[in-house]
Amino acid sequence: MQDREDRIIDITIEDEMKSAYIDYSMSVIVSRALPDVRDGFKPVHRRVLYAMNEDGNTYDKPTRKCASAVGQVMKYYHPHGDSSIYGTLVRLAQPWNLRYPLVQGQGNFGSIDGDSPAAMRYTESRLNKLASEMLRDIEKDTVDFQNNFDDSTTEPTVLPARFPNLLVNGSAGIAVGMATNMAPHNLGESIDACVAYIDSKGDIDVAGLMSYIKAPDFPTGGFIYGYAGVREAFETGRGRIIIRSRCEIEVHNNHERIIVTEIPYQVNKSELVKSIADLINDKKLDGISGIADESNRKGIRIVIDVKRDANSGVVLNKLYKMTALQSSFSVNNIALVKQRPEDRQGRPQLLNLRDLIHHFIEHRHDVVYRRTQYDLRKAEERVHILEGLIIAVDNIDEVIRIIRAASEPQEAIEQLMVRFNLSLLQARAIVDMRLRALTGLERDKLRAEYEALVKEIAHLKALLADKELRAALIREELLEIKEKYADERRSEIIYAAEEFNPEDFYADDEMIITISHHGYIKRTPLSEFRSQARGGVGAKGSDTRDEDFIEYIYSASMHATMLLFTQMGRCYWLKVYEIPEGAKNTKGRALQNLLNFEPGDRVNAFIRVKNLTKDQDFVSSHYLLFCTKRGVIKKTLLEAYSRPRANGIIAINLAEGDQLVDVALTNGRKEVLIANRNGRAVRFAEDAVRATGRNAMGVRGMTLDEDGRDEVVGMLAVEADTEETILVVSEQGYGKRSLVEDYRKTNRGTKGVKTLNITDKTGELVAFSAITDEHDLMIINRSGITIRVHARDISVQGRATQGVRIIDLKKRGDEIASVCRVLTEEDEPELSEELDPTATSVAPELAEGTATQDQLPQELLDRAMDEDLNK
């Protein structure tokens, strides 16, 4: 009884639970869930590869049943059940899971749709060539071995690993209190980074390594969208990487459809298709008429049919936002690192890119050193034997006499040792020597082998003594791996913003932007306006407040940036999609609610640029040309206005009483024409105006009449060889077109020549524009009436003529407020106010880059080039 009580140890349950949980945690962390930083494997992966290699299940032999490999692993190394072992074996063979698979599978190994593999009794496998590089030289005492679970054999604690497998194939695992999620990378890029680390002798930072490894390279391809997460992951070991599917828009049976050929890493394809279908059925995703999965063994192909009235680009961006077509990969680079060589187990550590490469290179140094020691030992042993054989060959007659005289082999060995001062190994080798070694050829071979081994021993000793020589050898072996197995990147990088751009949710359609006299602005689709014959009375274009009227009308695409210039010389920025949309007969929204105007200021000029903040070459080679009411002109680089500010900036310094009239975007080589209310115009070369800073006042461009009423009404900047004609329109609806050549060149600052014969019937000049036959005119009068007129219907006349009536104002008794040119459309039939919603303008789509040259006729291409709308 006393003995029984002595065997009972009293402990507190809290201490026991704490101790047991810590033991369990360490077991999971070290022996199950986290990879070793040196070879990138968890124990189960390492055991599968080692067991298959030991069993001869290699790439140069036929495949064998997976059940055989699983049985070997479970029998000797991994007593945790066959399902976990087979799952590991399967994953090592799946090309959508591993960037570089290490097992070659035959049979059903599952699919990217999440299908389970066939049972292991049906499937076959073997190691592939790349896996052999992970195990190469393992027989040369390059790594430590430990007893297996039942001490019946030994297993390696790490593999020699000739390439950085952890970096190349990544890893994922959930331990206790921590997890790892490491992205795969391109083999060639990873080796280049390792070589750069070796060349710099470790004196290279993460930024330097990133010049070789641009980003992760996922096995399923796709696009890495944005670079901030990649940089953060490389620098800190943690980051969030956005992955987008590879999608193309193609036309089929006169309607568009989205073709998905690559999906994000670790996304289940069938679940993705189902989620899109559910969104369509639940009416949460508009614009899609159907979806089909046409994938086969050649690759992924998901077909998404887009409705005829929907924009494919907008639908695709909604899919990116609402479905797994765009996913994120959260990097968490935690791996086991041995703090000291004598440590039995590694410790979890968060690693950046440099850390991963550093630990791999150090592992390779250790492997090469131990391999060199092994090779040196074997070479010295062989040299020792060869020395004895050479002595025997040189004294062959006496050797033969001793052997013939001996009664047994042992006696011969002992006599040879005494006679020639040989070791036991040498004497035994002589006794075992075959008679063919006595031939002259064999004697020469012995001496050649001896000399080669002597040189090899010297080289091996040099390797052991010089770390730089070992580094050069590691470098050479890495480049050999790259030459054999490297391939191209699959994941492309898009250096873009991480979040969705608001532009992604707006089709890049052409819009008509109208601004009223009191500063109300709106955008209306160009298709809502219809063409009328010259002299028509027009259609109601906008309802305005009392005493208000439409004063300005412009065309621009939804994604363009609008630079708005006020009469007080300030510049503001506004995206077209930020302008509220309204029908033709609505008044819009006050600009004061959109921009921070100063009291009493108003917009009276704008420039539309497609990529203001992105196209540095464009903004640094183009200019803004300003013209004021008093005839002052100024030229400044567009770059000075490419950094938007919420409160606007000073665009031009104005003299007291002066106002900004017009602004033009130029390339520095255009002809400038300025017209005044009294019907005169001046023409001069743009280079007559020197480029100045943003805050400059400018120089005189045109001398005005001293009648107290004269002022500039417009400025044009045209190419010297332009085919455009100069349009002038008077207050009472008269207008004409004239050739640019009709305006003779004069010096800057002169009064110019007559451009319109001003009479009481015509009224003063109100519009001055450059057009071709391919344009329409949008004419707005002060009562808000809109009319669209074909420019080809307006005759070309001399510059001093009166012109023809282009709009009938007598029925309303008002005056023309503004005239704007737009790209022409085919005449539409007379419609009610409910216009055809499918009416579109094809040429603006080309001009803004949403159509390709092979989709549109040449005349539209030429027109777009003339318009300079590609920016």
Side-chain angles (χ1 to χ4, degrees):
M1 187 69 175
Q2 183 65 35
D3 292 341
R4 181 178 179 185
E5 290 178 357
D6 291 341
R7 291 198 302 270
I8 297 175
I9 302 173
D10 293 329
I11 60 172
T12 60
I13 190 170
E14 292 86 354
D15 293 339
E16 179 63 20
M17 289 184 66
K18 183 184 297 184
S19 174
Y21 191 74
I22 289 175
D23 291 342
Y24 165 73
S25 300
M26 289 305 299
S27 175
V28 172
I29 291 170
V30 175
S31 302
R32 189 179 302 179
L34 298 185
D36 192 297
V37 70
R38 297 169 292 177
D39 63 0
F41 285 138
K42 303 174 190 177
V44 64
H45 298 91
R46 192 178 301 118
R47 289 164 177 169
V48 167
L49 294 188
Y50 180 70
M52 293 178 71
N53 185 67
E54 287 296 291
D55 198 35
N57 193 7
T58 53
Y59 71 92
D60 54 348
K61 308 249 183 10
T63 58
R64 298 182 188 174
K65 290 290 185 181
C66 290
S68 172
V70 171
Q72 287 292 108
V73 175
M74 187 166 58
K75 177 180 178 182
Y76 292 112
Y77 309 112
H78 198 75
H80 295 291
D82 59 348
S83 60
S84 64
I85 299 171
Y86 185 50
T88 299
L89 176 63
V90 165
R91 189 177 186 278
L92 288 170
Q94 291 177 333
W96 60 90
N97 267 325
L98 256 64
R99 179 62 178 84
Y100 296 91
L102 301 173
V103 170
Q104 179 185 344
Q106 182 170 309
N108 176 12
F109 274 73
S111 73
I112 199 171
D113 288 324
D115 298 322
S116 299
M120 58 184 173
R121 61 182 178 273
Y122 299 119
T123 57
E124 298 182 358
S125 63
R126 64 182 177 184
L127 296 180
N128 63 18
K129 286 187 177 182
L130 189 59
S132 67
E133 304 294 348
M134 291 295 299
L135 293 149
R136 194 167 175 181
D137 299 326
I138 197 170
E139 74 282 357
K140 293 185 177 182
D141 193 30
T142 52
V143 294
D144 292 333
F145 278 71
Q146 65 185 10
N147 289 336
N148 66 343
F149 63 89
D150 62 357
D151 296 339
S152 61
T153 185
T154 59
E155 61 175 319
T157 59
V158 67
L159 297 186
R162 277 214 174 188
F163 63 93
N165 179 64
L166 184 59
L167 196 60
V168 166
N169 274 324
S171 183
I174 301 175
V176 178
M178 64 184 67
T180 185
N181 199 35
M182 307 182 72
H185 297 79
N186 183 268
L187 177 62
E189 292 180 1
S190 301
I191 289 178
D192 287 340
C194 292
V195 169
Y197 180 90
I198 294 172
D199 292 342
S200 68
K201 298 180 181 179
D203 187 19
I204 185 172
D205 58 8
V206 173
L209 294 172
M210 287 174 62
S211 63
Y212 300 94
I213 303 181
K214 304 296 184 183
D217 189 22
F218 298 102
T220 53
F223 294 95
I224 294 174
Y225 186 69
Y227 204 67
V230 174
R231 184 181 294 108
E232 183 181 6
F234 280 161
E235 291 176 348
T236 69
R238 283 197 176 100
R240 180 171 173 268
I241 300 173
I242 306 298
I243 314 171
R244 277 190 170 184
S245 303
R246 183 181 296 274
C247 304
E248 298 176 356
I249 298 175
E250 69 175 32
V251 178
H252 180 72
N253 292 335
N254 295 325
H255 77 281
E256 295 180 332
R257 57 185 188 178
I258 299 169
I259 309 297
V260 182
T261 55
E262 294 175 3
I263 62 176
Y265 183 48
Q266 295 181 337
V267 168
N268 185 306
K269 177 167 64 67
S270 62
E271 291 294 329
L272 171 64
V273 173
K274 182 178 182 298
S275 67
I276 296 174
D278 290 342
L279 289 173
I280 298 170
N281 295 332
D282 295 341
K283 308 298 183 183
K284 294 180 180 179
L285 188 59
D286 297 327
I288 297 177
S289 59
I291 181 171
D293 186 358
E294 298 180 0
S295 305
N296 53 34
R297 63 181 58 191
K298 294 182 180 179
I300 293 174
R301 180 179 170 86
I302 302 172
V303 180
I304 302 171
D305 290 312
V306 180
K307 293 180 180 178
R308 294 184 185 275
D309 59 346
N311 183 281
S312 299
V314 173
V315 171
L316 179 56
N317 285 310
K318 288 181 179 179
L319 286 168
Y320 282 143
K321 186 171 186 179
M322 302 172 68
T323 72
L325 281 181
Q326 174 170 310
S327 302
S328 63
F329 185 92
S330 296
V331 175
N332 191 24
N333 292 341
I334 293 181
L336 298 176
V337 179
K338 281 195 175 184
Q339 306 294 333
R340 298 179 302 274
E342 60 271 18
D343 289 343
R344 291 188 59 192
Q345 296 177 334
R347 297 185 180 181
Q349 187 173 325
L350 182 66
L351 306 165
N352 62 20
L353 178 61
R354 187 185 180 281
D355 296 333
L356 291 170
I357 293 176
H358 165 75
H359 290 298
F360 169 73
I361 296 298
E362 290 301 310
H363 174 57
R364 285 302 299 168
H365 271 289
D366 185 49
V367 167
V368 170
Y369 189 87
R370 295 179 61 164
R371 183 185 68 191
T372 304
Q373 286 182 319
Y374 178 87
D375 289 340
L376 178 61
R377 185 171 65 252
K378 292 296 183 181
E380 288 176 339
E381 290 174 358
R382 180 59 179 168
V383 163
H384 182 67
I385 297 298
L386 288 175
E387 287 174 345
L389 293 178
I390 290 173
I391 290 174
V393 170
D394 291 342
N395 301 274
I396 189 62
D397 292 338
E398 188 171 357
V399 168
I400 292 173
R401 183 188 62 78
I402 293 173
I403 294 175
R404 290 182 64 182
S407 59
E408 58 182 4
Q410 185 61 33
E411 180 183 350
I413 291 172
E414 292 173 354
Q415 291 184 15
L416 287 172
M417 292 173 62
V418 173
R419 174 65 183 86
F420 297 106
N421 194 24
L422 300 175
S423 69
L424 177 63
L425 291 175
Q426 289 174 324
R428 185 172 294 159
I430 292 172
V431 171
D432 293 339
M433 183 173 61
R434 296 182 179 182
L435 291 177
R436 70 180 185 184
L438 302 179
T439 64
L441 181 61
E442 289 296 323
R443 292 200 302 270
D444 292 340
K445 283 184 178 180
L446 286 175
R447 297 184 186 278
E449 183 183 358
Y450 176 78
E451 293 173 359
L453 281 174
V454 169
K455 292 181 180 178
E456 182 183 351
I457 288 172
H459 172 66
L460 293 174
K461 288 182 177 179
L463 276 178
L464 291 174
D466 191 343
K467 188 174 182 179
E468 290 191 10
L469 281 179
R470 294 199 300 274
L473 179 59
I474 294 169
R475 183 183 191 276
E476 181 183 341
E477 291 174 350
L478 284 169
L479 292 176
E480 180 185 343
I481 295 293
K482 177 185 175 183
E483 183 178 354
K484 286 183 179 179
Y485 304 105
D487 57 4
E488 296 296 325
R489 281 191 66 88
R490 295 182 187 176
S491 298
E492 294 186 28
I493 307 169
I494 300 177
Y495 299 89
E498 304 304 308
E499 300 299 329
F500 281 93
N501 191 324
E503 293 179 5
D504 296 339
F505 301 97
Y506 297 95
D508 200 15
D509 295 333
E510 194 76 4
M511 294 286 160
I512 293 295
I513 300 169
T514 55
I515 306 175
S516 74
H517 180 72
H518 286 168
Y520 284 81
I521 186 172
K522 73 172 186 290
R523 58 178 167 87
T524 306
L526 179 63
S527 58
E528 283 203 20
F529 294 87
R530 66 176 184 272
S531 301
Q532 289 183 313
R534 178 173 62 84
V537 296
K540 187 68 173 177
S542 176
D543 287 338
T544 56
R545 302 169 55 191
D546 294 342
E547 300 179 358
D548 194 9
F549 55 88
I550 299 298
E551 188 167 2
Y552 300 99
I553 179 169
Y554 307 111
S555 65
S557 71
M558 284 284 279
H559 291 181
T561 300
M562 307 263 292
L563 281 73
L564 289 85
F565 300 91
T566 69
Q567 63 184 13
M568 294 175 64
R570 293 189 66 83
C571 174
Y572 297 86
W573 292 265
L574 197 62
K575 286 287 189 179
V576 173
Y577 59 77
E578 295 175 336
I579 300 172
E581 182 173 354
K584 288 198 306 176
N585 56 354
T586 58
K587 66 182 180 181
R589 186 176 178 186
L591 274 170
Q592 288 86 343
N593 295 333
L594 300 176
L595 303 172
N596 296 323
F597 286 161
E598 296 181 9
D601 203 0
R602 55 181 297 187
V603 173
N604 60 358
F606 99 105
I607 294 294
R608 185 263 329 262
V609 182
K610 184 66 175 176
N611 293 311
L612 179 65
T613 59
K614 300 176 182 177
D615 195 340
Q616 186 61 35
D617 292 338
F618 183 79
V619 300
S620 60
S621 62
H622 285 70
Y623 300 86
L624 289 181
L625 205 60
F626 298 84
C627 185
T628 73
K629 185 171 65 174
R630 292 187 175 180
V632 174
I633 191 169
K634 187 192 83 160
K635 183 169 74 172
T636 304
L637 267 176
L638 176 60
E639 186 179 21
Y641 304 90
S642 63
R643 292 171 287 278
R645 299 180 191 172
N647 295 323
I649 60 172
I650 297 174
I652 181 175
N653 272 323
L654 299 173
E656 185 177 354
D658 201 1
Q659 294 180 353
L660 184 63
V661 170
D662 215 341
V663 184
L665 179 65
T666 75
N667 56 14
R669 302 180 299 275
K670 292 192 175 184
E671 298 284 333
V672 181
L673 294 94
I674 303 175
N676 64 357
R677 288 185 64 84
N678 290 342
R680 286 184 293 103
V682 61
R683 176 190 174 196
F684 55 87
E686 182 185 345
D687 57 16
V689 184
R690 179 175 57 89
T692 58
R694 179 169 58 83
N695 294 325
M697 295 186 66
V699 296
R700 183 173 297 278
M702 181 180 190
T703 299
L704 303 178
D705 294 336
E706 298 179 357
D707 57 5
R709 297 184 67 256
D710 195 17
E711 61 184 38
V712 170
V713 297
M715 173 192 67
L716 299 177
V718 298
E719 298 290 347
D721 57 349
T722 182
E723 296 181 358
E724 294 179 318
T725 55
I726 303 301
L727 169 75
V728 290
V729 181
S730 68
E731 291 174 321
Q732 299 302 318
Y734 285 84
K736 65 178 178 64
R737 297 160 60 195
S738 303
L739 299 176
V740 175
E741 290 75 14
D742 290 347
Y743 297 82
R744 63 179 173 84
K745 285 188 178 181
T746 62
N747 292 328
R748 174 181 57 80
T750 63
K751 285 194 171 184
V753 298
K754 182 177 290 189
T755 183
L756 181 69
N757 186 23
I758 300 297
T759 65
D760 292 339
K761 183 172 68 172
T762 62
E764 294 179 325
L765 193 65
V766 294
F768 186 64
S769 181
I771 63 172
T772 69
D773 287 346
E774 303 299 328
H775 289 109
D776 284 357
L777 300 180
M778 301 297 299
I779 301 176
I780 306 294
N781 62 26
R782 295 184 183 274
S783 61
I785 301 300
T786 304
I787 188 172
R788 185 170 188 152
V789 176
H790 293 309
R792 60 177 177 268
D793 292 340
I794 303 174
S795 59
V796 178
Q797 302 179 7
R799 62 174 173 77
T801 59
Q802 175 180 284
V804 297
R805 183 180 294 278
I806 59 176
I807 185 171
D808 185 2
L809 296 175
K810 291 183 179 180
K811 298 179 182 179
R812 294 174 175 81
D814 58 0
E815 299 175 343
I816 290 179
S818 181
V819 179
C820 174
R821 73 176 191 181
V822 294
L823 294 176
T824 189
E825 292 179 331
E826 295 299 324
D827 287 347
E828 298 174 8
E830 287 293 328
L831 302 173
S832 66
E833 288 298 312
E834 295 296 330
L835 300 179
D836 180 6
T838 64
T840 57
S841 179
V842 177
E845 292 179 357
L846 170 70
E848 296 300 339
T850 58
T852 58
Q853 292 189 7
D854 57 358
Q855 294 173 318
L856 297 172
Q858 184 61 43
E859 57 267 29
L860 295 185
L861 296 174
D862 296 339
R863 186 194 315 170
M865 294 298 292
D866 293 339
E867 287 283 330
D868 268 342
L869 292 176
N870 59 323
K871 290 291 182 181

